[in-house]
């Protein structure tokens, strides 16, 4: 009887492995991504600039700050257990870029993420669209043209609006801030009012 029970437990375990493969099998290897290549190359370039600061357009303090941001991005890429996700805590609808990781990146497509929503972990949030009028740190009047911020794969981005200043704040420094023409992402001339009128359609966590 004891041998029968052992055999039965073993059979059940084998069936579970076949029917429901381990969740860690789907963990993305982001060190094989173009983001990882770009980040490591940028770190190497800045390290070389530190050795010859006279040749740099940046101050030593700016180089150290940029190095810190890049090293954080590298750490995210090496340790992330899912694709990039964007969380909207702005109190308004947020326009985001993204795609299914196993498909060709359609980063030029805009999706709309409702307030208090987070994009699905099986979907790769590439970045956030910032409409005309958006206030950023140091920009009192607001943007006169739309911008997009890009994040590296694996980033858990949170967007908020400072209740006192109205400035949009992110929990991590963006990998890039892009204007129309810098990348093939769609950047229509929208305002926040236009975005708020859209029906949220970004894939979200249940």
């Amino acid at each position: 009887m004891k041998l029968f029970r052992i055999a039965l437990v073993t059979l059940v375990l084998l069936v579970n492995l076949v029917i429901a493969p381990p969740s860690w099998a789907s963990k993305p290897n982001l060190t094989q991504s173009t983001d990882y290549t770009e980040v490591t190359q940028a770190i190497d370039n800045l390290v070389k600039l530190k050795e010859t600061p006279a040749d740099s357009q940046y101050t030593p303090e700016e180089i150290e700050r940029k190095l810190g941001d890049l090293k954080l991005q590298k750490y995210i890429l090496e340790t992330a257990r899912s694709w990039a996700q964007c969380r909207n805590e702005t109190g308004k609808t947020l326009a985001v870029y993204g795609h299914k990781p196993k498909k060709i990146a359609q980063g030029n497509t805009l999706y709309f993420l409702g307030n208090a929503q987070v994009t699905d972990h099986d979907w790769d949030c590439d970045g956030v669209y910032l409409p005309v009028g958006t206030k950023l740190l140091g920009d009192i009047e607001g943007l006169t043209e739309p911008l997009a911020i890009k994040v590296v794969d694996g980033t858990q981005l949170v967007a908020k609006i400072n209740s006192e200043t109205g400035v949009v704040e992110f929990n991590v420094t963006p990998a890039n801030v892009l204007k129309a023409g810098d990348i093939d992402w769609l950047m229509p001339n929208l305002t926040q009012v236009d975005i708020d009128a859209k029906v949220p359609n970004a894939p979200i966590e249940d």
Side-chain angles (χ1 to χ4, degrees):
M1 180 63 80
K2 188 174 182 181
L3 285 174
F4 175 77
R5 288 180 179 174
I6 292 172
L8 184 60
V9 169
T10 303
L11 180 62
V12 170
L13 286 173
L14 287 173
V15 169
N16 280 337
L17 285 173
V18 171
I19 296 175
S23 60
W24 62 80
S26 62
K27 177 183 179 295
N29 182 3
L30 302 181
T31 59
Q32 303 295 319
S33 69
T34 55
D35 279 352
Y36 190 78
T37 302
E38 291 172 3
V39 166
T40 52
Q41 184 60 59
I43 289 174
D44 291 343
N45 292 341
L46 281 179
V47 169
K48 290 176 183 175
L49 277 181
K50 284 181 67 175
E51 298 170 358
T52 56
D55 298 336
S56 173
Q57 60 179 323
Y58 304 115
T59 65
E61 293 77 15
E62 288 174 328
I63 291 175
E64 286 299 331
R65 186 172 67 251
K66 288 178 180 293
L67 265 176
D69 291 339
L70 287 166
K71 286 178 179 178
L72 175 58
Q73 292 170 20
K74 184 171 183 281
Y75 175 79
I76 288 171
L77 287 160
E78 291 174 341
T79 61
R81 301 194 64 83
S82 67
W83 298 96
Q85 291 182 277
C86 293
R87 180 181 297 275
N88 180 11
E89 296 183 6
T90 64
K92 304 176 181 180
T93 302
L94 189 69
V96 297
Y97 298 94
H99 67 281
K100 271 283 190 183
K102 292 184 180 179
K103 295 184 178 180
I104 297 174
Q106 298 295 320
N108 60 346
T109 302
L110 270 180
Y111 294 85
F112 301 96
L113 185 66
N115 181 50
Q117 292 182 340
V118 57
T119 56
D120 192 87
H121 68 278
D122 287 331
W123 193 72
D124 193 9
C125 186
D126 297 314
V128 174
Y129 170 90
L130 301 176
V132 173
T134 300
K135 291 184 178 180
L136 300 175
L137 190 62
D139 182 7
I140 300 174
E141 299 299 324
L143 297 178
T144 57
E145 62 179 329
L147 294 177
I149 68 154
K150 181 181 183 297
V151 295
V152 296
D153 289 336
T155 300
Q156 300 297 301
L157 181 77
V158 180
K160 295 182 178 182
I161 292 182
N162 187 301
S163 59
E164 295 182 0
T165 64
V167 169
V168 175
E169 299 176 341
F170 301 103
N171 63 322
V172 294
T173 302
N176 283 302
V177 179
L178 306 160
K179 295 181 180 180
D182 291 342
I183 196 170
D184 65 349
W185 292 3
L186 180 67
M187 285 196 214
N189 198 29
L190 301 176
T191 65
Q192 185 60 50
V193 172
D194 297 326
I195 293 173
D196 287 338
K198 302 290 186 182
V199 176
N201 63 350
I204 60 171
E205 291 277 66
D206 295 330

